[in-house]
Amino acid sequence: MQIQQESCSMKSLGMLNLIGLWHSWVLLALANPPCLMHWLSYLAQEDVFLGTLTVRETIAYSANLRLSTKMDKNEINELVERTIVEMGLEHCANNKIGNWHLRGISDGEKKRLSIALEILTHPYVMFLDEPTSGLDSASAYFVIVALRDIARHGRVVVFSIHQPSYYLFDLFDDLYLLSGGRVVYFGEANMAVKFFAESGFPCPVRRNPTDHFLRCINPDFDNIASTMLRSKSINGITTMPDCVMNLTTQEIQETLIEKYKISEYSTTARDKIQDIILLEENISLSNRSKARWSKQLSSLIRRSFLNMSRDIGYYWLRIVFYVAVSISVGSIYFKIDTSFLAITARAKCEAFIYGFMICLSIGGLPSFIEELKVYNREMLNKHYGEGLLSISNFISSLPFLVVIAVSSGTVVYSMVKLHSGFSHFCYFCINFFCYISVIECSMMVVAALVPNVLMGIGIGTSLVVFMMMPSEIFRPLPDLPKFFWRYPMSYISCASWALQGVYKNDMIGLEFGNSVPEDSKLKGETVLLTAFGIPLDHSKWWDLAALMCLLIFDRLLLFVVLKYKQRVSSVLCKLSIKRIFLLGGLSMRSSLSRSNRDRTTLP
């Protein structure tokens, strides 16, 4: 997209109340959907980051995910350093952003970091939702100054802002003032005070203009005024002029809107829009080249692995818990023999490991949810696709899951003395690894669907218990009710396949003592068939293969959830917006009728 120099002189747009779309820049971008996300940038109010990364690492990984493959490593590093300097983040570039156990940067620095991530690709239009929300006056001023500097370099900056101070308002170039979705004023910010004065609502001396604007168009002030009138204490309390206090907000709004329609400010705004529309034939939108999928996958894997290794709550604490529980299990079932009573002990030991110990995977939900917030923001901005996320998450978590499976398996196997042999030990660890991987992926699916951690823990726990119910932990397979529990639940339960495989791995080839010492010993195959109802028509490797199929299915399910959740949410959001506008129209008509009744009843 080639932009002539004279069209780059558009300035930042500060707005009060609702966000509006400025000029036909947006129309031009919407007319070219493939290019939309390359030329527009949206920054939400909430700042979402991986708290274990430093400021420089966050910007660098974002650059590698989004910038063209035509840029080499040195060029990307130069751009990262230049962005850090531009946003005034040099002093905290090597500081971690911070999370629940790491002290990080301030809220103002986080906001500037969010802006830094968006300007990496040099978008021509930037939308920001209340960039100063939650910031102190100095931090807010720094953020607005940074946005003004961005606008001075030929970009359009559009943002909503919550009751700015006079110092912030003085930085605005243009003001778009909305009330109930209707334009009250659109023009140069420093002319807004003159427009209100010309309309009969002058701003009192020594008052913040933005406070006066909100007083004139915010209906909440009507409730305050009516309360003051009822208490007979309005005189001497307020310094607002009578021209404001004696009118309702609805009346002031109507006056301002009608005045604006016939004012020179409205005419000037329409002329500017027409001039920009005429520039359309000089503007050609084209797709910017993106990073290759292989580079994006590599960056996602390295970033996710770095986050997992630095966040002690992600895997490290759970590894410690797994080993501690394994030691406890090993001490309870220490050196089990092959006596008749040992049959039940072996089954209980393995059922505990594959049933209840696996619930430790639920502890990763808080970390999953926080990480998915970052992924959702990046996927919403089309940085990469859902498939890359699903693959990169599994690969980056692979070393930690292997450590959990091998460490826990080694402790249990050496202390309990299960079926001896290196091949049996390897099968136990591989089976345990696949089972943990299925549960971890299921928790990722839950994290992608739930809105908060508390609900995620509840749903995740219920899901794990539900998967355990049709397994051999509670009842043998032949004793399960055929409807639902046997067919199909026992076939889609990861616990059922994992336990069948580990029982076969441990008992096939062993001989156990009989309940009557004089009788012949019981073969492991006989025990599996008679005591646990486990079919022997397929080997333990088929059970492992079924577990791997469930793992692949869960990864595909995660991909589908990530891909279509946003689309479903968008449809529901549209329906909700239509309902809000409908109710808003009814509410406006009822308020107008109440206002008319009040005027007729006043003495």
mmCIF file of all heavy atoms in Angstrom, residues 56 272 297 440:
data_model
loop_
_atom_site.group_PDB
_atom_site.id
_atom_site.type_symbol
_atom_site.label_atom_id
_atom_site.label_comp_id
_atom_site.label_asym_id
_atom_site.label_seq_id
_atom_site.Cartn_x
_atom_site.Cartn_y
_atom_site.Cartn_z
ATOM 1 N N ARG A 56 12.182 -7.014 26.372
ATOM 2 C CA ARG A 56 12.870 -7.215 25.088
ATOM 3 C C ARG A 56 12.483 -8.553 24.457
ATOM 4 O O ARG A 56 12.270 -8.632 23.234
ATOM 5 C CB ARG A 56 14.383 -7.139 25.294
ATOM 6 C CG ARG A 56 15.190 -7.357 24.009
ATOM 7 C CD ARG A 56 16.666 -7.164 24.206
ATOM 8 N NE ARG A 56 17.014 -5.743 24.203
ATOM 9 C CZ ARG A 56 17.389 -5.065 25.278
ATOM 10 N NH1 ARG A 56 17.444 -5.679 26.457
ATOM 11 N NH2 ARG A 56 17.695 -3.780 25.203
ATOM 12 N N LYS A 272 -13.608 17.109 4.673
ATOM 13 C CA LYS A 272 -12.376 16.334 4.832
ATOM 14 C C LYS A 272 -12.587 14.870 4.446
ATOM 15 O O LYS A 272 -11.731 14.244 3.820
ATOM 16 C CB LYS A 272 -11.887 16.422 6.281
ATOM 17 C CG LYS A 272 -11.268 17.760 6.647
ATOM 18 C CD LYS A 272 -10.722 17.734 8.067
ATOM 19 C CE LYS A 272 -10.056 19.062 8.412
ATOM 20 N NZ LYS A 272 -9.514 19.046 9.809
ATOM 21 N N LEU A 297 6.296 -21.419 13.900
ATOM 22 C CA LEU A 297 6.255 -22.595 14.769
ATOM 23 C C LEU A 297 7.473 -22.643 15.674
ATOM 24 O O LEU A 297 7.360 -22.902 16.884
ATOM 25 C CB LEU A 297 6.162 -23.863 13.916
ATOM 26 C CG LEU A 297 6.114 -25.185 14.679
ATOM 27 C CD1 LEU A 297 4.892 -25.242 15.577
ATOM 28 C CD2 LEU A 297 6.129 -26.366 13.710
ATOM 29 N N GLU A 440 -3.625 -33.593 29.992
ATOM 30 C CA GLU A 440 -3.140 -32.215 29.829
ATOM 31 C C GLU A 440 -3.851 -31.524 28.663
ATOM 32 O O GLU A 440 -4.252 -30.362 28.770
ATOM 33 C CB GLU A 440 -1.628 -32.212 29.584
ATOM 34 C CG GLU A 440 -0.794 -32.651 30.767
ATOM 35 C CD GLU A 440 -0.559 -31.538 31.755
ATOM 36 O OE1 GLU A 440 -0.331 -30.400 31.331
ATOM 37 O OE2 GLU A 440 -0.607 -31.821 32.972
#
